[in-house]
Amino acid sequence: MPPTDRTRAPRLEEVAAVANVSSATVSRYFNSPGVVAPATAQRIEAAIAATGYLPNLTAGALASSRSRLIAALVPDIAQSIFNDTMEAMIDALSAEGNSVILALTGTTDARLVAQINAALSRRVDAIILTGIVADAAIRAQLRNSRVTVIETWGLPDDPIDIAIGFSHRAIGYALAEFLRDRGYRRPHMIVPRSTRAERRAAAFAERWVANGGDAPTRFEVAVPSHFGQGRQSYRGLADLAVQPDVVVCGSDWIAQGLIVEAQVAGVAVPGRLAVTGFGNLRMAGDMRPTITSVDVDGTRIAHEVNRVLRLRAAGTKLAERSIDVGFRIIARESA
Amino acid sequence: MPPTDRTRAPRLEEVAAVANVSSATVSRYFNSPGVVAPATAQRIEAAIAATGYLPNLTAGALASSRSRLIAALVPDIAQSIFNDTMEAMIDALSAEGNSVILALTGTTDARLVAQINAALSRRVDAIILTGIVADAAIRAQLRNSRVTVIETWGLPDDPIDIAIGFSHRAIGYALAEFLRDRGYRRPHMIVPRSTRAERRAAAFAERWVANGGDAPTRFEVAVPSHFGQGRQSYRGLADLAVQPDVVVCGSDWIAQGLIVEAQVAGVAVPGRLAVTGFGNLRMAGDMRPTITSVDVDGTRIAHEVNRVLRLRAAGTKLAERSIDVGFRIIARESA
DNA sequence: AAGATGCTTGCAAGCGCTTACACCTCTGCC
DNA sequence: GGCAGAGGTGTAAGCGCTTGCAAGCATCTT
């Protein structure tokens, strides 16, 4: 048995020496467990325990050019509608032995590019984009980089590589139908200035008008959207020429803020004013009144991401470039 | 000029060939910019641009045994009070060329251990723990691992390595004084079942009683805490023998839920019932009424983390093991 | 009985960088 | 003019792992 040198971490070779095999075999034990003979595996296990060995994934990544590192790029996490999905994704990915590098892109393309380059420098196995990347140059760079790129939440017409998500347009249409069916006639929209929210809003308006309604009025708000915008938006309603009977909010936070302000003003929700949100945050089901919202299945997205990554790792060609996980309108008390 | 081989990423050596220097010099250009001659640097820059070179940080990490990878372990992100701090931390760290691996530990020690091992296998430069790790065995493992460990938010009596945060006990004391000074007499606490929240609650009760008050009543709620718990807790108040005049909530979400439910029940906040929160989320300042809360400066924590890491990287011994960034009670309308 | 086959394992050549050390060229100085 | 010292650069030996190739051996097959 080699002297237990406490100054540096044990290496594969030391484990191998203890188990009386070559380091290649120990490496196989980790990476292709089926290959080593059961008796050998047992000796290796004992040796690992004896040495307290922890694989050096950096060295492994260099040798195999597979880093098991996934970069997840997201605008922010302090107040992000993506957090549920992100959490599910991190859980799912780390369960398979990957680590997730979380990178914040903010709302500027410059930061996005910086984070993409950082991810590329790490030789990540995949870059996961959440939201929509509009800039053509960035899309081109990503496409040329040959790294797996998964766009989530949106479903672009021409994905960079693979897209897993839902159609914001379809949501806009569905909401328009839903509210018309419920008898509302004068919708007003609160639209965060993000490509995604704008797409939903445009689709909503389009369908609303197509169904014979008047073009909905709208306020725009900054991203990330938050509670305060809802309160403020409610107050803005007073200036509208025609008072809405339902407010379609770009996020559940906006909806919540709007409801609180309406209630303080003595306006019953949904009695005198109905409200819908987006994202189906946990709070939406707990609010008083509970908030009608659009649910996106983050766990499903996470599973699909995992599946795609597994197939890619195995070298399988993927059939689809777009995977639609759908959405559901959750009808609750507020509309 | 070497043929632009489109099938693999350019290596340092190719840049070196184009710039007509050795690869060691290009490496120095990246890692110790001051060392290479200005004229050489210019040639290298041109070569980098010409080849479209992106450093391979994995190889660099192996060679230098410095990964520039930081693991941030956090219970969750979907509904986490740590998110503001995490965001500031990720921003600050990536500005210095680090990447942050976000690992979710949930509420069980088993997951924590798994994530610690994963981080250790990546040979991260540091592990950042958010919250308090209570288990002695885990603390010992971490201490033996020789990796930089930064505990944030809490200030343990005996940090594993370095702690950056504030004293939950001090917050409990301060809140007790604050509410007594404001004239409240019958506080009730909503306490999330986390070591941190319990520490604040215990300190609050201790000081309250020391000041001559009756021992405060309390409800416990699961973590992560959320809006719904606030609503539910408000309803629970009815069963109390003596009705509180102020509810001290373990998070701003709980406070918000409680306020909404009180208002729906026609109870004026703070008129008939005062409320305090914790965390000073953006929403706390936007809520109606605005919520009195405890602010923790996440940006300050992030800066300190960065400073510590920089010093460690430079090999400097740190003077302090605990860095107290303090806290502030933000007095607003709700209490 | 000889060759074919399949299962395990070892050998050794990398993976793309970093860095200690040595070397060379200039300056500045006595 | 010779020498010390500083500034730049190159050489080459790793960093700790993976994996193609080949060899050894036991089991089949004909």
Side-chain angles (χ1 to χ4, degrees):
Chain A
M1 185 178 298
T4 333
D5 185 349
R6 250 28 241 85
T7 69
R8 60 147 70 231
R11 288 164 307 158
L12 202 54
E13 203 165 338
E14 278 138 47
V15 177
V18 174
N20 203 25
V21 292
S22 75
S23 59
T25 301
V26 183
S27 172
R28 290 191 189 100
Y29 167 81
F30 281 110
N31 301 312
S32 352
V35 172
V36 318
T40 311
Q42 275 187 19
R43 286 206 321 276
I44 292 176
E45 272 154 28
I48 290 170
T51 52
Y53 176 72
L54 272 183
N56 182 330
L57 262 28
T58 299
L62 180 59
S64 67
S65 53
R66 166 139 187 246
S67 65
R68 295 182 152 287
L69 233 32
I70 315 283
L73 309 201
V74 76
D76 74 291
I77 59 164
Q79 187 85 180
S80 171
I81 194 120
F82 304 133
N83 280 0
D84 286 290
T85 302
M86 282 303 312
E87 182 161 321
M89 210 131 70
I90 295 176
D91 271 341
L93 289 170
S94 44
E96 307 252 320
N98 300 296
S99 294
V100 176
I101 291 179
L102 218 234
L104 268 20
T105 58
T107 48
T108 67
D109 281 351
R111 282 191 69 183
L112 215 207
V113 169
Q115 302 294 12
I116 289 174
N117 285 334
L120 258 20
S121 283
R122 296 272 171 204
R123 300 299 189 265
V124 296
D125 289 343
I127 293 180
I128 297 178
L129 261 19
T130 304
I132 292 174
V133 173
D135 188 86
I138 298 177
R139 299 183 73 84
Q141 186 204 352
L142 244 15
R143 211 176 309 237
N144 289 333
S145 74
R146 284 173 164 5
V147 69
T148 294
V149 175
I150 303 184
E151 295 170 271
T152 65
W153 270 57
L155 284 181
D157 294 331
D158 181 24
I160 295 171
D161 182 4
I162 303 204
I164 301 174
F166 47 87
S167 159
H168 288 279
R169 173 165 326 183
I171 291 178
Y173 291 157
L175 266 180
E177 301 286 354
F178 175 84
L179 291 180
R180 200 190 56 151
D181 289 352
R182 293 225 152 186
Y184 296 106
R185 290 297 169 254
R186 299 179 307 282
H188 175 79
M189 298 186 286
I190 316 282
V191 187
R193 281 191 205 88
S194 80
T195 321
R196 307 173 297 281
E198 270 157 14
R199 199 160 291 185
R200 293 194 299 272
F204 180 94
E206 179 196 322
R207 178 60 58 89
W208 191 266
V209 170
N211 281 346
D214 293 336
T217 51
R218 64 188 274 170
F219 294 158
E220 291 190 357
V221 295
V223 286
S225 61
H226 58 94
F227 182 90
Q229 293 169 333
R231 281 192 56 194
Q232 221 162 331
S233 296
Y234 177 82
R235 277 175 257 142
L237 257 30
D239 300 335
L240 256 27
V242 3
Q243 287 301 299
D245 55 1
V246 57
V247 182
V248 179
C249 302
S251 82
D252 287 344
W253 289 298
I254 300 177
Q256 187 189 30
L258 200 134
I259 291 173
V260 164
E261 191 70 10
Q263 286 175 337
V264 167
V267 168
V269 175
R272 274 178 51 202
L273 184 67
V275 176
T276 66
F278 177 79
N280 194 29
L281 302 181
R282 172 167 198 170
M283 169 274 290
D286 285 334
M287 182 59 185
R288 181 120 181 189
T290 54
I291 302 174
T292 294
S293 190
V294 178
D295 181 67
V296 168
D297 190 345
T299 306
R300 169 88 194 281
I301 293 181
H303 283 328
E304 293 294 337
V305 166
N306 236 343
R307 192 173 63 84
V308 166
L309 257 28
R310 237 186 340 250
L311 291 178
R312 274 284 163 94
T316 316
K317 261 272 181 300
L318 268 69
E320 341 85 296
R321 296 188 58 202
S322 270
I323 300 171
D324 192 336
V325 300
F327 62 89
R328 290 180 309 152
I329 293 182
I330 311 288
R332 295 207 184 90
E333 298 165 356
S334 73
Chain B
M1 186 176 300
T4 334
D5 185 348
R6 251 27 242 84
T7 69
R8 62 145 70 230
R11 286 165 308 156
L12 203 54
E13 203 164 337
E14 278 137 48
V15 176
V18 174
N20 201 26
V21 293
S22 74
S23 60
T25 300
V26 182
S27 173
R28 289 190 191 100
Y29 167 81
F30 281 111
N31 301 312
S32 354
V35 171
V36 317
T40 311
Q42 275 188 21
R43 286 208 319 276
I44 292 176
E45 272 154 29
I48 290 170
T51 52
Y53 176 72
L54 272 182
N56 182 329
L57 262 26
T58 299
L62 181 60
S64 68
S65 53
R66 167 138 188 246
S67 65
R68 295 181 153 288
L69 232 32
I70 314 283
L73 310 201
V74 76
D76 75 290
I77 59 164
Q79 187 86 177
S80 170
I81 193 117
F82 304 132
N83 280 358
D84 285 295
T85 302
M86 282 303 312
E87 181 162 321
M89 211 131 69
I90 295 176
D91 270 342
L93 288 170
S94 46
E96 307 250 319
N98 300 295
S99 295
V100 177
I101 290 178
L102 220 233
L104 268 19
T105 58
T107 49
T108 68
D109 281 350
R111 283 190 68 183
L112 214 207
V113 170
Q115 302 294 11
I116 289 173
N117 285 334
L120 258 19
S121 282
R122 295 273 171 204
R123 300 297 190 265
V124 296
D125 289 343
I127 293 180
I128 297 178
L129 262 17
T130 305
I132 292 173
V133 173
D135 188 85
I138 298 177
R139 298 183 72 83
Q141 185 204 352
L142 243 17
R143 212 174 309 235
N144 289 334
S145 74
R146 279 167 168 12
V147 70
T148 293
V149 176
I150 303 184
E151 295 170 271
T152 65
W153 269 58
L155 285 180
D157 294 332
D158 182 23
I160 295 171
D161 182 5
I162 303 204
I164 301 174
F166 47 87
S167 160
H168 288 278
R169 173 164 326 181
I171 290 177
Y173 291 157
L175 265 180
E177 301 286 354
F178 175 84
L179 291 180
R180 199 189 57 150
D181 289 351
R182 291 227 152 185
Y184 297 105
R185 288 296 169 257
R186 299 180 307 282
H188 176 79
M189 299 187 286
I190 317 282
V191 187
R193 281 191 205 88
S194 79
T195 321
R196 306 174 297 281
E198 270 157 15
R199 199 161 290 184
R200 292 195 299 272
F204 180 94
E206 179 195 321
R207 178 59 58 89
W208 191 265
V209 171
N211 281 345
D214 294 336
T217 50
R218 64 189 274 169
F219 295 158
E220 292 191 358
V221 295
V223 285
S225 60
H226 58 94
F227 181 91
Q229 293 169 333
R231 280 191 55 194
Q232 220 162 331
S233 296
Y234 177 82
R235 278 175 257 141
L237 258 29
D239 301 333
L240 257 25
V242 3
Q243 287 302 300
D245 55 1
V246 57
V247 182
V248 179
C249 302
S251 81
D252 287 344
W253 290 298
I254 300 178
Q256 187 189 31
L258 200 135
I259 291 172
V260 164
E261 191 70 9
Q263 286 175 338
V264 167
V267 168
V269 175
R272 274 178 51 202
L273 184 67
V275 176
T276 66
F278 178 79
N280 193 30
L281 301 181
R282 173 167 196 167
M283 168 275 289
D286 285 333
M287 182 59 185
R288 183 123 182 183
T290 53
I291 302 174
T292 294
S293 189
V294 178
D295 180 67
V296 167
D297 190 345
T299 306
R300 171 86 192 283
I301 293 181
H303 282 328
E304 292 293 336
V305 166
N306 236 343
R307 192 172 63 84
V308 166
L309 256 28
R310 233 182 347 246
L311 290 177
R312 273 285 163 93
T316 316
K317 263 271 180 300
L318 267 71
E320 341 86 296
R321 296 189 58 203
S322 272
I323 300 172
D324 192 336
V325 301
F327 63 90
R328 290 180 311 152
I329 294 182
I330 311 289
R332 296 206 182 89
E333 298 165 357
S334 73

